Amino acid sequence: MRKSVNEGRENGRVFFCSIDKGWEVSMLAASRMKLNEWQSYWNELGKDDPLWVVLTDPSKKGGKWDPEEFFAIGEKEIQTEVVDYLNGKGFPFRKGVALDFGCGVGRLSQGLARHFEKVHGIDISASMLEHARKFNRHGERVKYHLNSSNRLEAIADNSVDLIYSNIALQHIEPKEQLGYIRDFVRVLRPGGIALFQVLEPTLGRRLFPQWLVDGYRRRKHAGQAFFGMFGVSDGSVRALMRQAGAEVLEARRARFTWRWVNCWFCVRKNGT
């Protein structure tokens, strides 16, 4: 399956989002798979061309990413999308402990370490984390954790000041997506902030019946590892935040294909 990295701009903010080429992107809610099956797929994908798996620029496929360039993009994203964004909005945040959810090879974890005292990177793929540890430039200040559960078991309650996740949740089936987002609130300290991106299916995408999606997916991939693409509704995230004890400070939406709406949330856990 081919994918590309598109750079979009929404209200002055830059975001990166992986977009599948062809029917894969339209097949949003493919047949339900167990979490360990997805873990196996991502572990296989992380063994071959891991940098390209994270940022799928067609010109970089086949080991053509320069690591310096690759990680510089992550540093720029954290500076712009976290530090400058929060300061510009006047949303105070502590620079103690940060969490990079869906960290892959650590592209954003390394950027977060330039601004936070300690960083936790969480990923489902052991092969990705092996690369992340090799690329780590910040010693014990950055710790990577393999997560095989539908919750963040390695992270204690009320222990994180900031969570950042981009182009990660969209690869997780909806039930698990919402479960992880709920767990973001659990691990945040009171007053802590989570910045995360999800995809929402358009009306056009929702017209595809599940049986058609399931049949296409089984025939297309025939047991080969692939990227799943999944969405959740804006309303379901907002309702979940209210139930979990967090406030949505800002939510931005940008439609960039007929199938998907890109949704960015900035939420703060209640309390001080």
Side-chain angles (χ1 to χ4, degrees):
M1 186 185 71
R2 295 180 301 130
K3 302 179 73 190
S4 65
V5 173
N6 274 20
E7 180 178 327
R9 189 170 293 274
E10 175 189 350
N11 298 329
R13 293 186 71 225
V14 173
F15 60 85
F16 292 89
C17 194
S18 302
I19 301 175
D20 294 37
K21 293 294 186 182
W23 277 95
E24 285 87 349
V25 69
S26 71
M27 300 295 96
L28 167 68
S31 58
R32 183 132 177 90
M33 292 171 56
K34 295 180 180 178
L35 194 62
N36 63 347
E37 293 179 284
W38 284 116
Q39 183 174 39
S40 176
Y41 277 18
W42 281 103
N43 198 46
E44 287 301 311
L45 291 166
K47 293 177 182 177
D48 180 27
D49 210 359
L51 302 190
W52 182 83
V53 168
V54 175
L55 286 183
T56 50
D57 182 335
S59 68
K60 304 295 187 181
K61 191 172 184 179
K64 295 178 182 177
W65 267 114
D66 172 60
E68 292 294 327
E69 178 188 10
F70 178 87
F71 283 97
I73 292 173
E75 291 179 1
K76 180 180 178 182
E77 181 174 338
I78 295 302
Q79 179 65 53
T80 302
E81 308 304 321
V82 177
V83 179
D84 293 348
Y85 167 72
L86 292 175
N87 287 335
K89 291 292 182 180
F91 298 150
F93 65 102
R94 294 182 289 265
K95 295 185 177 182
V97 179
L99 171 64
D100 175 11
F101 178 81
C103 65
V105 298
R107 179 178 72 95
L108 300 171
S109 304
Q110 296 299 291
L112 286 166
R114 295 173 64 90
H115 302 278
F116 291 83
E117 295 173 9
K118 188 172 183 178
V119 177
H120 294 285
I122 296 280
D123 204 88
I124 198 171
S125 169
S127 61
M128 287 285 195
L129 292 176
E130 183 178 348
H131 292 292
R133 294 182 181 107
K134 290 178 181 177
F135 283 121
N136 182 24
R137 303 173 181 175
H138 299 278
E140 292 299 312
R141 291 181 49 232
V142 177
K143 289 188 177 294
Y144 292 110
H145 308 271
L146 179 66
N147 192 69
S148 302
S149 169
N150 58 6
R151 62 191 300 272
L152 307 176
E153 292 186 343
I155 310 300
D157 296 1
N158 305 308
S159 63
V160 174
D161 296 300
L162 182 131
I163 298 171
Y164 187 72
S165 181
N166 187 18
I167 58 173
L169 287 162
Q170 66 186 33
H171 295 302
I172 302 172
E173 298 205 33
K175 181 180 178 181
E176 280 74 28
Q177 274 195 58
L178 295 174
Y180 288 128
I181 293 170
R182 176 185 289 276
D183 223 31
F184 287 174
V185 180
R186 176 186 65 82
V187 304
L188 281 173
R189 291 189 174 115
I193 286 179
L195 290 162
F196 58 92
Q197 171 265 346
V198 298
L199 292 180
E200 181 177 52
T202 64
L203 175 61
R205 171 57 195 90
R206 294 197 300 272
L207 293 176
F208 285 90
Q210 185 65 47
W211 63 264
L212 179 62
V213 173
D214 292 350
Y216 172 82
R217 183 175 178 184
R218 285 192 295 268
R219 191 163 71 180
K220 173 68 175 179
H221 299 292
Q224 298 296 313
F226 64 94
F227 300 88
M229 295 289 284
F230 304 94
V232 294
S233 70
D234 177 282
S236 66
V237 174
R238 291 176 181 272
L240 182 63
M241 291 298 93
R242 289 193 297 270
Q243 296 166 7
E247 173 189 6
V248 176
L249 297 177
E250 188 171 52
R252 292 164 298 281
R253 296 163 54 84
R255 181 167 174 164
F256 59 91
T257 75
W258 70 267
R259 304 173 183 94
W260 302 108
V261 176
N262 196 65
C263 302
W264 267 99
F265 289 89
C266 176
V267 306
R268 180 170 57 203
K269 185 171 181 176
N270 297 337
T272 56

